[in-house]
Amino acid sequence: MNREKRSAIFARLQAANPTPTTELEYASPFQLLIAVLLSAQATDVGVNKATRRLFPVAPTPEAMLALGEEGLMEHIKTIGLYKTKAKNAIATCRILLERHGGQVPEDRAALEALPGVGRKTANVVLNTAFGQPTIAVDTHIFRVANRTGLAPGKDVREVEDKLIKFTPPEYRQNAHHWLILHGRYVCKARKPECGRCPLFDLCEWKAKTP
């Protein structure tokens, strides 16, 4: 895929959704961090249902730490892997308070040092909370990048590196959100809705159907 076609893809995504953002609900960088940590192998809808109960009583690292693992588990037990996630979240709160003054660090290495926080989670926080032009590659973005030919790769890191390299600078800040929403609602895994895809003529997927 050439530069002009990639630019056209992002131009159309921007035209359809000029100000994309995450579907996770949050009111601070800390709440976003916890929401993303909880979202692993879970839907944003499911996470939002839990955090609507959780964040009013534990909006800060201090308040969440005071809940303890058992207390936190009560609020998030509807989410998959909730025991492990509760353990990681409480440990994260403790580190934020002990090492970062209760603030979420704007540094990748510091974020990835937090329990349960990997590269994808760090990228989401850096992009959405702090406005850094990172691209977090989840299953939706991995699929869209490979299926369309936008940034094909064998693993998520290869796709991320190619997206960073090939995405025009003016689109890099919002690329993550455009691609994840496109994969979630149009370029679906089992039944992609090619007939209503705004990228149909630009997409290089050989199996696409009108």
Side-chain angles (χ1 to χ4, degrees), residues 45-103:
V45 172
V47 171
N48 288 337
K49 286 181 179 179
T51 57
R52 284 172 198 154
R53 299 188 300 269
L54 171 64
F55 289 156
V57 299
T60 65
E62 295 93 335
M64 193 166 291
L65 186 60
L67 282 179
E69 283 186 41
E70 293 294 330
L72 180 54
M73 278 192 274
E74 282 301 308
H75 286 87
I76 66 170
K77 60 185 179 182
T78 56
I79 300 174
L81 306 175
Y82 72 96
K83 293 181 179 180
T84 298
K85 291 175 181 179
K87 180 179 180 180
N88 287 334
I90 292 298
T92 285
C93 290
R94 186 174 292 110
I95 292 172
L96 291 178
L97 291 166
E98 292 176 353
R99 301 181 191 173
H100 304 289
Q103 301 298 309

Side-chain angles (χ1 to χ4, degrees), residues 16-194:
N17 187 358
T19 55
T21 188
T22 179
E23 293 186 317
L24 291 170
E25 298 172 1
Y26 68 100
S28 68
F30 169 70
Q31 291 180 16
L32 176 64
L33 172 63
I34 295 300
V36 179
L37 192 154
L38 296 177
S39 71
Q41 299 182 45
T43 65
D44 287 0
V45 172
V47 171
N48 288 337
K49 286 181 179 179
T51 57
R52 284 172 198 154
R53 299 188 300 269
L54 171 64
F55 289 156
V57 299
T60 65
E62 295 93 335
M64 193 166 291
L65 186 60
L67 282 179
E69 283 186 41
E70 293 294 330
L72 180 54
M73 278 192 274
E74 282 301 308
H75 286 87
I76 66 170
K77 60 185 179 182
T78 56
I79 300 174
L81 306 175
Y82 72 96
K83 293 181 179 180
T84 298
K85 291 175 181 179
K87 180 179 180 180
N88 287 334
I90 292 298
T92 285
C93 290
R94 186 174 292 110
I95 292 172
L96 291 178
L97 291 166
E98 292 176 353
R99 301 181 191 173
H100 304 289
Q103 301 298 309
V104 176
E106 298 185 37
D107 174 76
R108 177 186 300 282
L111 282 170
E112 291 187 19
L114 298 171
V117 177
R119 185 176 181 87
K120 183 179 73 173
T121 297
N123 277 335
V124 173
V125 173
L126 291 171
N127 177 275
T128 305
F130 300 121
Q132 297 187 25
T134 57
I135 299 177
V137 178
D138 70 347
T139 54
H140 296 297
I141 295 177
F142 184 79
R143 178 175 67 256
V144 171
N146 275 286
R147 186 181 275 170
T148 62
L150 182 66
K154 296 179 181 178
D155 54 48
V156 293
R157 183 58 190 272
E158 184 179 0
V159 169
E160 178 190 336
D161 290 344
K162 285 188 175 181
L163 283 172
I164 290 294
K165 179 180 180 181
F166 294 134
T167 301
E170 64 268 30
Y171 299 119
R172 208 168 287 153
Q173 176 63 40
N174 290 321
H176 160 79
H177 298 299
W178 283 321
L179 294 174
I180 194 172
L181 292 170
H182 187 66
R184 186 173 288 167
Y185 296 113
V186 180
C187 195
K188 302 174 184 178
R190 294 185 179 180
K191 293 184 178 180
E193 298 183 15
C194 299

